DNA sequence: TTAGGGTTAG
């Protein structure tokens, strides 16, 4: 065996940096530092291997005269994955500038990974140009990297263009397009990609299902999610833990906690995502007791909880009014699991006390928290003051938001409502002035409902739907029926005062988005079919009351997912027991 | 002797 072969063999068995240094010394002693296969192999090993060293790789790289593509690729690849991916881009620049070694498809894949990590959209465009000049615009792997980099840098439209320009698409490129849309929050677009994909012969796999199920979860598309579950069963993907976890999340977020529990119970293998998904699912359905029980099972199964586990658990305690349990678990985070509570956990505790009417305690929690300057905490307190009609603490919360320069139109509306409840016209007027003078914007409310394989979206007083005559006719009939069962529409003081705001628009004198969605569901589905509504804001008191009466008058189960939780309306009652 | 895809909170 030659000396160079011996060294290459030694490298294969090398597992620590000290040994690597010895091999390098051997390379020098034997005069092999300019032996290309040896130096390239050594460089590649240092740049990539966990037992290697990037600094050492740099040293070796700079000892190579006229490094060729493979050597450049090693150093760019190593830095692209390292804590300083910008270095990969700098080496790529040097490579292109040097004009000695030509970048190949691997070079582009590595440098694009670096662009993705440094959020270098401009650099990505420049690399894209070079890819075209080098004639690699049809390479499916390079283009998959390219579209991911564009998408993860916020240019989803460019990602779509790269994808569309591909002459041939394989399963990974389809999956990448779906997951990019899903991760960027374009869930309807993700689902539309699947419509196109179905017409190809590519097939699908667990990655496809996970991306699609995640988007179903976000938009509340239960029917489509059930269809995907069917495919997962037929094609044997239900054993895949990622698919199982995504199914739990989809069912829980689409309002079917029982199905989420069925998937959870059927899973042979569970990881922290599995437990977190089902605990959070119980939490948003107001089943704090269920969340606590599953959390105990998680500990018995020997799975270490993380901070997300506690977000779900504390949220469950808050929605069910389990104050003592919530406080106990909050303290347990640091005392038993060495987890530092973050602002979200403090938010849950403020909500837990606030919702339970312990507003002084909620205030104390914010003031003694590590982040008393976080507007989220004050906003949660303001929300609790609305529930419990507490003007004094509500004003304190608002004052803090203003001092932080974080008060929004939504906050003014919350305080207006509190003033309105206290018949404080001066207060309402002051908030109205503030909204107008500062030109504050509010979030427009919308609701959607899935009927068949389509999702129908409504805004307040929506007249854009093609079947709006029928919808408004059904709504008037529904209001009449609900009234016969005892529904009394709530008059809004704010509306009387003429405040043109989101809350004003969302009053019983106009038709809320969820009322329109319910009317549409009643008109378009057969008797007894449950209605599932997704709403972007919290459900208002009038709509909550209306939906309870509708569930009784029409004998329908109505599941409403609002901004923070689910409400299951059945027989004139709501699962939240009016505690929300 | 190198390259591309997945889940949970908010």
């Amino acid at each position: 065996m030659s000396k160079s072969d011996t060294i290459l063999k030694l490298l294969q068995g090398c597992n620590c940096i000290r040994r690597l240094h010895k091999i390098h010394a051997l390379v020098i002693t034997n005069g092999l530092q300019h032996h290309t296969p040896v130096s390239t192999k050594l460089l590649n090993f240092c740049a990539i291997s966990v037992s290697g060293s990037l600094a050492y790789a740099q040293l070796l790289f700079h000892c190579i005269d006229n490094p060729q593509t493979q050597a450049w690729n090693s150093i760019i690849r190593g830095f692209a994955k390292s804590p300083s991916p910008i270095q990969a881009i700098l080496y790529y620049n040097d490579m292109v500038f040097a004009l000695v070694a030509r970048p190949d498809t691997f070079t582009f894949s590595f440098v694009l990974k670096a662009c993705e990590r440094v959020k270098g959209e401009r650099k990505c465009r420049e690399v894209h140009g070079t890819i075209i000049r080098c004639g690699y615009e049809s390479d499916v792997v390079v283009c998959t990297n390219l579209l991911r980099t564009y998408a993860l840098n916020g240019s989803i439209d460019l990602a779509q263009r790269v994808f569309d320009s591909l002459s041939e698409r394989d399963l990974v490129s389809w999956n990448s397009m779906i997951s990019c849309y899903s991760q960027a929050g374009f869930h309807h677009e993700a689902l539309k990609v699947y419509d196109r994909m179905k017409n190809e012969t590519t097939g699908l796999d667990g990655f496809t299902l996970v991306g699609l199920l995640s988007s179903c979860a976000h938009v509340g598309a239960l029917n489509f999610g059930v269809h995907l579950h069917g495919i997962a069963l037929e094609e044997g993907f239900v054993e895949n833990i990622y698919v199982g976890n995504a199914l739990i999340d989809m069912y829980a977020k689409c309002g079917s906690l029982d199905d989420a529990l069925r998937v959870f119970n059927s899973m042979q293998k569970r990881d922290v995502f599995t437990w977190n998904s089902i605990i959070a699912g119980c939490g948003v359905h107001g089943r704090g007791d269920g969340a606590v029980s599953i959390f105990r099972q998680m500990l018995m199964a020997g799975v270490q909880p993380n901070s997300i586990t506690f977000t779900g658990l504390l949220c469950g305690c808050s929605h069910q009014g389990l104050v003592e349990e919530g406080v106990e678990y909050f303290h347990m985070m640091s005392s038993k699991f060495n987890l530092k509570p973050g602002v979200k956990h403090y938010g849950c505790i403020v909500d837990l006390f606030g919702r339970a009417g312990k507003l002084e305690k909620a205030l104390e929690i914010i003031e003694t928290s590590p982040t008393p300057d976080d507007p989220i905490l004050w906003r949660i307190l303001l929300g609790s003051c609305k529930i419990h009609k507490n003007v004094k603490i509500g004003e304190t919360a608002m004052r803090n938001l203003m001092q932080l320069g974080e008060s929004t139109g939504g906050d003014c509306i919350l305080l207006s409502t509190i003033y309105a409840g206290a018949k404080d016209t001066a207060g309402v007027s002051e908030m109205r002035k503030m909204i107008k003078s500062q030109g504050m914007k509010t979030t427009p409310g919308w609701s959607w409902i899935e009927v068949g394989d389509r999702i129908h979206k409504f805004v307040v007083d929506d007249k854009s739907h093609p079947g709006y005559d029928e919808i408004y006719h059904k709504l008037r009939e529904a209001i009449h029926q609900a009234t016969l069962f005892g529904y009394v529409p709530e008059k809004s003081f704010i509306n009387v005062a003429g405040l043109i705001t989101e809350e004003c628009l969302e009053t019983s004198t106009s038709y809320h988005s969820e009322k329109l969605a319910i009317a549409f569901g009643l008109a378009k589905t057969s008797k007894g079919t449950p209605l599932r509504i997704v709403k972007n804001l919290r459900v208002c008191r009038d709509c909550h009351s209306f939906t309870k009466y509708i569930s009784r008058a029409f004998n329908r189960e109505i599941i409403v997912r609002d901004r923070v939780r689910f409400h299951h309306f059945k027989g004139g009652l709501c699962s939240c027991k009016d505690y929300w």
Side-chain angles (χ1 to χ4, degrees):
Chain A
M1 192 183 278
S2 69
K3 283 176 187 171
S4 58
D5 286 345
T6 311
I7 287 168
L8 289 171
K9 202 162 174 81
L10 282 172
L11 266 174
Q12 275 175 356
C14 174
N15 56 9
C16 72
I17 191 80
R18 196 180 291 173
R19 204 179 159 120
L20 191 70
H21 288 174
K22 280 187 183 168
I23 297 172
H24 189 208
L26 212 59
V27 169
I28 294 165
T29 320
N30 287 284
L32 287 168
Q33 58 269 47
H34 299 296
H35 185 277
T36 307
V38 168
S39 57
T40 309
K41 176 86 189 173
L42 192 60
L43 167 67
N44 190 46
F45 183 88
C46 292
I48 310 303
S49 165
V50 282
S51 53
S53 149
L54 259 176
Y56 201 55
Q58 268 182 299
L59 200 73
L60 290 169
F61 180 79
H62 291 289
C63 290
I64 301 174
D65 301 324
N66 293 328
Q68 294 305 296
T69 305
Q70 199 180 341
W72 285 103
N73 287 356
S74 293
I75 200 82
I76 294 169
R77 182 190 180 198
F79 275 112
K81 289 182 172 177
S82 78
S84 53
I86 187 76
Q87 289 275 0
I89 295 173
L90 297 176
Y91 274 104
Y92 168 81
N93 291 347
D94 288 349
M95 179 189 189
V96 175
F97 186 73
L99 290 171
V100 175
R102 200 179 139 81
D104 62 8
T105 55
F106 294 97
T107 322
F108 292 121
S109 294
F110 301 139
V111 75
L112 285 168
K113 176 62 77 184
C115 290
E116 181 189 312
R117 292 191 55 213
V118 300
K119 303 281 170 228
E121 209 258 354
R122 263 182 59 192
K123 189 68 194 172
C124 178
R125 283 170 185 262
E126 186 201 303
V127 172
H128 188 178
T130 315
I131 289 169
I132 294 170
R133 278 195 297 281
C134 291
Y136 293 128
E137 74 268 36
S138 299
D139 187 288
V140 71
V141 179
V142 170
C143 286
T144 303
N145 273 310
L146 187 59
L147 79 86
R148 288 188 62 78
T149 309
Y150 273 134
L152 296 169
N153 279 330
S155 302
I156 195 83
D157 49 337
L158 290 176
Q160 178 72 61
R161 270 160 62 178
V162 171
F163 182 74
D164 288 340
S165 69
L166 273 168
S167 50
E168 276 183 46
R169 299 173 196 96
D170 63 6
L171 186 52
V172 178
S173 57
W174 281 102
N175 289 347
S176 297
M177 202 59 246
I178 291 172
S179 75
C180 284
Y181 268 129
S182 184
Q183 285 167 30
F186 295 92
H187 302 294
H188 294 288
E189 284 76 7
L191 302 181
K192 277 186 208 154
V193 174
Y194 177 66
D195 280 340
R196 283 177 64 191
M197 188 181 179
K198 273 191 303 193
N199 301 323
E200 308 272 326
T201 51
T202 327
L204 55 73
D205 64 8
F207 289 88
T208 327
L209 291 170
V210 168
L212 294 172
L213 285 167
S214 172
S215 282
C216 287
H218 278 96
V219 300
L222 179 67
N223 293 348
F224 190 48
V226 169
H227 171 72
L228 295 171
H229 191 181
I231 293 175
L233 288 163
E234 278 170 26
E235 311 261 336
F237 293 119
V238 278
E239 301 290 315
N240 178 325
I241 195 163
Y242 288 91
V243 173
N245 294 347
L247 280 168
I248 292 175
D249 183 53
M250 182 278 293
Y251 276 123
K253 290 219 181 89
C254 291
S256 194
L257 183 62
D258 289 343
D259 286 310
L261 284 162
R262 262 192 283 279
V263 174
F264 173 78
N265 288 324
S266 72
M267 283 173 74
Q268 302 293 314
K269 282 185 188 167
R270 294 169 184 159
D271 61 12
V272 72
F273 286 84
T274 322
W275 293 97
N276 287 357
S277 298
I278 196 69
I279 288 170
C282 288
V284 292
H285 281 270
R287 296 272 298 273
D289 48 356
V292 167
S293 159
I294 293 175
F295 176 70
R296 289 188 181 138
Q297 288 176 48
M298 177 183 184
L299 298 186
M300 282 193 289
V303 179
Q304 186 74 8
N306 61 22
S307 66
I308 297 173
T309 319
F310 284 95
T311 312
L313 184 62
L314 296 175
C315 158
C317 291
S318 161
H319 288 311
Q320 208 181 329
L322 305 176
V323 178
E324 279 178 29
E325 291 87 339
V327 171
E328 182 191 340
Y329 289 120
F330 180 71
H331 290 308
M332 203 185 269
M333 277 186 77
S334 41
S335 65
K336 206 169 170 185
F337 299 102
N338 200 26
L339 293 166
K340 195 176 160 201
V343 68
K344 287 171 187 80
H345 305 101
Y346 275 94
C348 286
I349 293 298
V350 171
D351 192 56
L352 180 81
F353 283 120
R355 208 183 284 278
K358 298 174 190 297
L359 296 167
E360 297 281 355
K361 186 69 188 167
L363 179 62
E364 185 193 321
I365 295 285
I366 300 178
E367 287 172 340
T368 57
S369 78
T371 53
D373 55 354
D374 193 305
I376 295 168
L377 301 181
W378 293 108
R379 198 160 287 131
I380 292 169
L381 180 63
L382 190 58
S384 298
C385 291
K386 180 188 165 188
I387 300 171
H388 297 285
K389 301 180 171 63
N390 189 314
V391 175
K392 194 173 155 232
I393 299 181
E395 284 176 334
T396 305
M398 189 62 173
R399 199 164 44 247
N400 277 278
L401 283 165
M402 285 165 69
Q403 279 169 4
L404 293 166
E406 296 279 356
S407 56
T408 64
D411 300 328
C412 294
I413 292 162
L414 272 176
L415 188 57
S416 293
T417 318
I418 299 170
Y419 282 137
K423 303 276 186 288
D424 181 345
T425 45
V428 173
S429 173
E430 193 189 331
M431 287 301 108
R432 182 175 58 193
K433 270 188 215 156
M434 194 192 285
I435 291 172
K436 279 192 177 170
S437 66
Q438 296 185 18
M440 288 167 152
K441 295 271 184 293
T442 57
T443 312
W446 51 251
S447 300
W448 62 49
I449 181 167
E450 187 191 27
V451 173
D453 60 356
R454 279 199 58 198
I455 285 172
H456 301 262
K457 189 174 177 178
F458 297 92
V459 295
V460 67
D461 287 332
D462 204 331
K463 291 193 171 63
S464 64
H465 198 282
Y468 91 94
D469 269 345
E470 186 189 2
I471 299 165
Y472 277 77
H473 178 75
K474 192 72 189 177
L475 181 54
R476 282 189 286 273
E477 182 206 328
I479 293 170
H480 176 68
Q481 288 290 326
T483 311
L484 294 179
F485 277 82
Y487 166 62
V488 180
E490 280 198 26
K491 290 270 182 243
S492 166
F493 182 82
I494 301 173
N495 195 29
V496 173
L499 187 64
I500 307 302
T501 66
E502 165 197 0
E503 189 78 9
C504 163
L505 294 171
E506 301 258 341
T507 65
S508 54
T509 49
S510 59
Y511 295 135
H512 282 198
S513 55
E514 62 261 58
K515 284 199 179 95
L516 292 166
I518 288 171
F520 182 76
L522 289 173
K524 294 292 180 189
T525 60
S526 52
K527 281 184 182 173
T529 309
L531 303 181
R532 296 170 194 278
I533 317 280
V534 178
K535 185 172 165 52
N536 68 330
L537 302 173
R538 300 277 359 233
V539 73
C540 80
R541 259 176 43 190
D542 177 59
C543 273
H544 196 265
S545 164
F546 173 76
T547 314
K548 283 200 291 186
Y549 283 104
I550 292 291
S551 73
R552 187 163 166 222
F554 288 83
N555 195 22
R556 293 275 192 135
E557 197 180 345
I558 304 173
I559 299 115
V560 177
R561 169 174 134 188
D562 78 10
R563 192 164 50 79
V564 295
R565 64 162 295 162
F566 277 93
H567 300 261
H568 292 252
F569 298 92
K570 199 176 177 183
L573 297 172
C574 178
S575 61
C576 77
K577 300 187 178 73
D578 300 337
Y579 187 85
W580 88 98

